[in-house]
Amino acid sequence: MSNENEYVLKVDHLKQYFPIRSGLKTIPLKAVDDVSFAIKPGETLGLVGESGCGKTTVGRSILRLYQPTAGRIEFDGNVIFDSEEKINKNMQPYRKQMQMVFQDPYSSLNPRMTVEDIIGEPLDVHKLYKNKAERHDKIIELMETVGLNAEHATRYAHEFSGGQRQRIGIARALAVDPKFIVCDEPVSALDVSIQAQVVNMFEDLQKQRGMAYLFIAHDLLVVQHISDRIAVMYLGHMMELADADELMNHPVHPYTESLLSAVPIPDPKTARNSKRIILEGDVPSPLHMPTGCPFRTRCKYATEQCANERPELADRGDGHLVACWNR
Amino acid sequence: MENYKYILEVQDLHTTFKTDNGEVHAVNGINFNLEPGKTLGIVGESGSGKSVTAYSVMQILADNGNISGGKVLYKGEDIVQWDKKKMSEFRGKCCSIIFQDPMTSLNPVYTVGYQLEEAILLHTNRTKKEAKARAVEMLTLVGVNEPEKRVKQYPHELSGGMRQRVMIAMALACEPDILIADEPTTALDVTIQAQILELMQELQKKLGMAIIMVTHDLGVIASMCDEIIVMYGGRVCERGTADDIFYSPAHEYTKGLLRSIPTTSNSGERLVPIGGTPINLLNMPQGCAFCPRCDEAMKICLSEVPEEIRISDSHLAACWMNIKNMYEEGNADE
């Protein structure tokens, strides 16, 4: 067993395929194909990529909302899934330590439950209180932690604004005092002025409670702000993983490079002087994955080797991992 | 004939919606001018009235909406007074719009080619055959590969980026003077967004139309626009050139907005959010719309709507702070 303090979560060669029926045949859609990474306690790993790259699926597979096709997931020193050793643990005790915050604060809260019941549900499931009064006190404390007015405990979700609803979702995740939270695009649905409030809250909570985050988002500037390290995914594969500032300032993979240059910078002078690297075409369908490197169809450096062999994620020094033959 | 400086002038525009909960003043007396061939950005949060402003110019408001006051001058003529027939000529020929979600704004049961030809046949004297050729020509212009094949395809067969290109082709088919883009890239991924923005800039150079860019994304605004309008609660907070707005903002809301976004340079620092919650248009404050969330709010902000004052030749802002600062500097003569 590995050193318990080193990683809170370790994912090795995770594969998540979904069966797609196409006529009489069933073909696998490879949403996540051989992804490995690890997260230290109290660390934030940002996960970025375009829609359909499998970033949300990674988050959900870790929490075992999907049954992974293959790979190994180790949480806090315990193997919770291993396809080779046929380990497939009951998740209930682990869900107390790993939680999720969803993208859409409108559809992730039950409209027929009061805020008190939404936040109280994880407490009920894991039996974390002795009596009604303790349950109530815990809920009020959680609401205050996320900056909600405790008087509003008996209201329904629709009576709150988008930012406040996201706070309810965060309070629900915090209820069981987890060690690790998967944040799946938690600020994408919020207005710019509200985004900063929620980003700051995530940072404060992490400082107070020492939680680790897997922060999934497509907004690179937000991810850079909140993350210690950033992983870039493309078509179910991990292309690059590095320290946040290192990745943003010295991207190595051609995909990361073009992704970063495509981000519109909110500064007119920089915008006028910078040159966008425009990628040709669209992301290929994951049902018809290119051979070799998944990015080669849009890559201007692609060679024959890229078409034949898939590059492995290799360390280029200081933990900067890149999967590319040419760089 | 060509005796206008601005292709579009909006003067004191008011748009209201009748709802069950009362009348909503979505746009509350806004002014702006658009020069031919320039790009104007309208930026604001949801509910700030930026889309309603665009829809009011096109007069494509929902049934319960109504332009309740003000003028919209196109080449010096007030189009609010125009009848239905004249307006339908205006849309498409003089001014076109592309929407956020290209899937819902294309008709799923007609081919891409049919929908392109429809606009061309409606607004020009071309024959069917010529319209077909024009449709292919337009698709080539917006960078759709194999245009002859694409015209026979249905919208669901195209990717999001391709659909947005088709929308742009449709909007530009009759060579309008103004293109309104309502959050054109919000539904797209960043690499596709970069393609579409690049395309819009290229087409503007080629065809010379003016663009009104409606968006909440300050990054898109910074890279695309000559002039910017910042809206909040149905009013214009501040307007000026891109440099005015980003480098010397003169309204507390704009300042707060710029402080609250993460940039490449402030990644280690803590963000400074704007407090409070977005405005409820049914329950507008009496004075400045932003004052319940403003750290600098003064007594006068609560009771009186600030007037737009001139900061420089190109820069106007509606914030009492500027007047206060002028008094303090001792040069308030107005």
Side-chain angles (χ1 to χ4, degrees):
Chain A
M1 194 157 279
S2 71
N3 182 359
E4 255 199 13
N5 298 324
E6 200 182 353
Y7 294 115
V8 65
L9 179 84
K10 203 159 178 290
V11 176
D12 288 309
H13 304 289
L14 179 72
K15 290 181 184 174
Q16 180 73 61
Y17 298 170
F18 296 106
I20 299 289
R21 286 191 52 181
S22 148
L24 291 170
K25 280 184 298 184
T26 304
I27 46 174
L29 185 149
K30 299 180 178 176
V32 176
D33 206 5
D34 207 353
V35 164
S36 307
F37 60 91
I39 301 177
K40 294 181 198 118
E43 185 193 39
T44 303
L45 178 71
L47 190 56
V48 298
E50 296 176 86
S51 45
C53 73
K55 54 190 193 300
T56 297
T57 310
V58 167
R60 293 184 168 218
S61 301
I62 292 169
L63 292 182
R64 301 275 303 284
L65 299 177
Y66 300 133
Q67 178 68 19
T69 312
R72 180 187 150 99
I73 302 169
E74 196 179 304
F75 180 76
D76 207 17
N78 303 304
V79 179
I80 54 173
F81 178 82
D82 192 323
S83 56
E84 275 174 21
E85 290 176 36
K86 303 258 179 326
I87 298 173
N88 198 355
K89 290 226 177 117
N90 174 16
M91 283 299 287
Q92 167 111 11
Y94 294 101
R95 294 243 159 84
K96 212 162 83 187
Q97 295 169 49
M98 47 209 300
Q99 283 286 319
M100 185 156 185
V101 175
F102 297 90
Q103 170 171 12
D104 184 358
Y106 292 81
S107 60
S108 58
L109 301 177
N110 188 335
R112 306 177 76 171
M113 284 164 80
T114 61
V115 172
E116 187 169 7
D117 288 335
I118 290 171
I119 300 174
E121 200 177 14
L123 299 173
D124 300 341
V125 171
H126 295 284
K127 303 191 180 61
L128 293 176
Y129 53 88
K130 289 186 204 79
N131 50 43
K132 274 258 159 76
E134 195 188 338
R135 178 179 188 264
H136 184 75
D137 290 346
K138 278 197 168 172
I139 291 165
I140 298 301
E141 197 193 313
L142 283 162
M143 287 184 74
E144 279 163 0
T145 310
V146 297
L148 287 168
N149 190 339
E151 288 165 21
H152 298 162
T154 51
R155 292 196 182 176
Y156 290 89
H158 71 89
E159 296 174 72
F160 293 88
S161 69
Q164 287 172 318
R165 282 183 215 214
Q166 201 54 290
R167 288 170 194 265
I168 299 172
I170 295 167
R172 175 174 61 183
L174 292 177
V176 294
D177 205 6
K179 283 186 179 158
F180 171 64
I181 300 184
V182 174
C183 312
D184 186 8
E185 305 254 12
V187 295
S188 309
L190 305 177
D191 266 318
V192 195
S193 71
I194 304 299
Q195 253 184 23
Q197 294 179 4
V198 176
V199 167
N200 279 351
M201 196 171 67
F202 271 114
E203 289 181 336
D204 292 344
L205 289 169
Q206 186 169 46
K207 258 181 227 143
Q208 289 159 15
R209 297 172 173 235
M211 295 177 291
Y213 295 140
L214 177 66
F215 198 92
I216 303 168
H218 64 267
D219 185 333
L220 281 145
L221 292 173
V222 170
V223 171
Q224 182 196 14
H225 189 88
I226 199 166
S227 305
D228 300 306
R229 289 185 299 148
I230 299 178
V232 181
M233 280 185 75
Y234 184 79
L235 269 181
H237 297 261
M238 197 164 281
M239 309 308 261
E240 188 163 0
L241 196 163
D243 191 69
D245 291 326
E246 165 78 8
L247 186 111
M248 296 297 280
N249 298 325
H250 309 285
V252 173
H253 200 285
Y255 176 63
T256 315
E257 207 176 60
S258 52
L259 194 66
L260 293 182
S261 84
V263 177
I265 304 294
D267 182 344
K269 278 183 190 147
T270 324
R272 260 173 247 146
N273 298 330
S274 65
K275 184 89 192 80
R276 289 190 208 122
I277 304 170
I278 303 288
L279 284 180
E280 298 284 318
D282 291 308
V283 184
S285 153
L287 281 174
H288 309 284
M289 197 82 83
T291 57
C293 174
F295 183 59
R296 69 174 172 86
T297 53
R298 298 170 81 192
C299 180
K300 59 181 174 188
Y301 306 105
T303 60
E304 208 170 305
Q305 187 183 24
C306 302
N308 297 328
E309 284 172 82
R310 190 178 126 187
E312 290 288 324
L313 204 60
D315 199 330
R316 306 290 170 97
D318 290 338
H320 192 145
L321 307 175
V322 183
C324 182
W325 290 121
N326 301 317
R327 290 295 177 92
Chain B
M1 187 59 202
E2 307 272 307
N3 55 354
Y4 52 86
K5 186 180 173 206
Y6 300 110
I7 188 113
L8 193 76
E9 281 174 79
V10 171
Q11 296 173 351
D12 197 26
L13 181 74
H14 288 260
T15 304
T16 52
F17 290 89
K18 285 199 179 70
T19 69
D20 293 343
N21 300 321
E23 205 162 65
V24 173
H25 297 268
V27 173
N28 253 327
I30 74 160
N31 298 292
F32 67 86
N33 306 316
L34 176 65
E35 280 178 54
K38 289 276 165 120
T39 305
L40 173 84
I42 305 183
V43 65
E45 296 176 68
S46 35
S48 62
K50 56 191 194 301
S51 289
V52 174
T53 304
Y55 296 170
S56 301
V57 170
M58 293 287 279
Q59 295 184 32
I60 47 170
L61 295 164
D63 287 343
N64 61 345
N66 174 31
I67 298 178
S68 51
K71 285 179 183 168
V72 179
L73 304 179
Y74 170 71
K75 295 188 178 177
E77 273 186 78
D78 186 8
I79 62 170
V80 176
Q81 309 302 331
W82 283 7
D83 58 13
K84 268 191 178 162
K85 191 163 164 265
K86 235 175 151 185
M87 263 323 284
S88 77
E89 262 172 40
F90 172 78
R91 297 183 204 113
K93 219 173 170 179
C94 310
C95 183
S96 280
I97 188 163
I98 50 176
F99 298 96
Q100 173 174 352
D101 184 357
M103 190 63 228
T104 47
S105 40
L106 288 167
N107 191 331
V109 300
Y110 292 110
T111 60
V112 164
Y114 179 90
Q115 295 182 58
L116 272 164
E117 287 157 33
E118 192 184 17
I120 298 163
L121 289 171
L122 206 65
H123 291 295
T124 60
N125 299 325
R126 290 188 171 87
T127 62
K128 260 209 159 140
K129 212 174 148 196
E130 284 165 347
K132 252 191 190 125
R134 175 78 179 156
V136 173
E137 185 192 326
M138 284 313 295
L139 287 181
T140 318
L141 184 72
V142 296
V144 172
N145 55 354
E146 302 175 85
E148 286 89 0
K149 198 176 129 197
R150 299 289 176 204
V151 289
K152 294 187 194 114
Q153 287 185 324
Y154 290 88
H156 75 264
E157 296 175 78
L158 307 178
S159 67
M162 278 297 153
R163 279 181 216 138
Q164 199 57 288
R165 282 170 196 265
V166 170
M167 280 302 295
I168 294 174
M170 203 182 286
L172 297 180
C174 302
E175 294 172 358
D177 304 314
I178 306 165
L179 175 69
I180 300 178
D182 183 17
E183 304 261 9
T185 56
T186 307
L188 306 174
D189 279 314
V190 271
T191 60
I192 309 296
Q193 166 170 288
Q195 288 176 2
I196 297 291
L197 295 180
E198 190 91 355
L199 173 73
M200 287 176 66
Q201 282 176 324
E202 243 171 64
L203 291 173
Q204 187 176 35
K205 261 184 220 147
K206 250 186 234 170
L207 308 174
M209 75 275 185
I211 297 178
I212 299 180
M213 190 90 186
V214 179
T215 178
H216 69 273
D217 190 329
L218 286 159
V220 171
I221 286 276
S223 57
M224 289 287 289
C225 300
D226 305 306
E227 288 196 31
I228 297 171
I229 299 176
V230 183
M231 284 187 75
Y232 189 81
R235 298 198 190 107
V236 174
C237 296
E238 184 169 5
R239 53 188 167 126
T241 62
D243 287 9
D244 288 339
I245 302 291
F246 278 91
Y247 301 128
S248 47
H251 193 288
E252 289 305 313
Y253 175 62
T254 321
K255 288 180 199 167
L257 211 54
L258 291 171
R259 272 198 299 264
S260 71
I261 49 170
T263 61
T264 41
S265 54
N266 71 356
S267 68
E269 297 157 34
R270 203 177 149 77
L271 299 177
V272 187
I274 300 178
T277 50
I279 196 165
N280 176 2
L281 287 173
L282 278 166
N283 188 12
M284 284 276 282
Q286 195 190 353
C288 171
F290 183 60
C291 94
R293 300 176 70 188
C294 183
D295 293 335
E296 305 287 334
M298 302 174 288
K299 227 177 190 173
I300 191 168
C301 306
L302 291 166
S303 54
E304 277 177 68
V305 178
E307 270 175 44
E308 215 168 37
I309 64 157
R310 197 166 279 282
I311 310 285
S312 72
D313 285 347
S314 58
H315 192 179
L316 291 106
C319 180
W320 288 118
M321 281 305 286
N322 295 316
I323 301 200
K324 183 184 164 216
N325 292 343
M326 276 159 106
Y327 270 108
E328 278 170 4
E329 282 160 25
N331 53 2
D333 31 295
E334 286 167 84

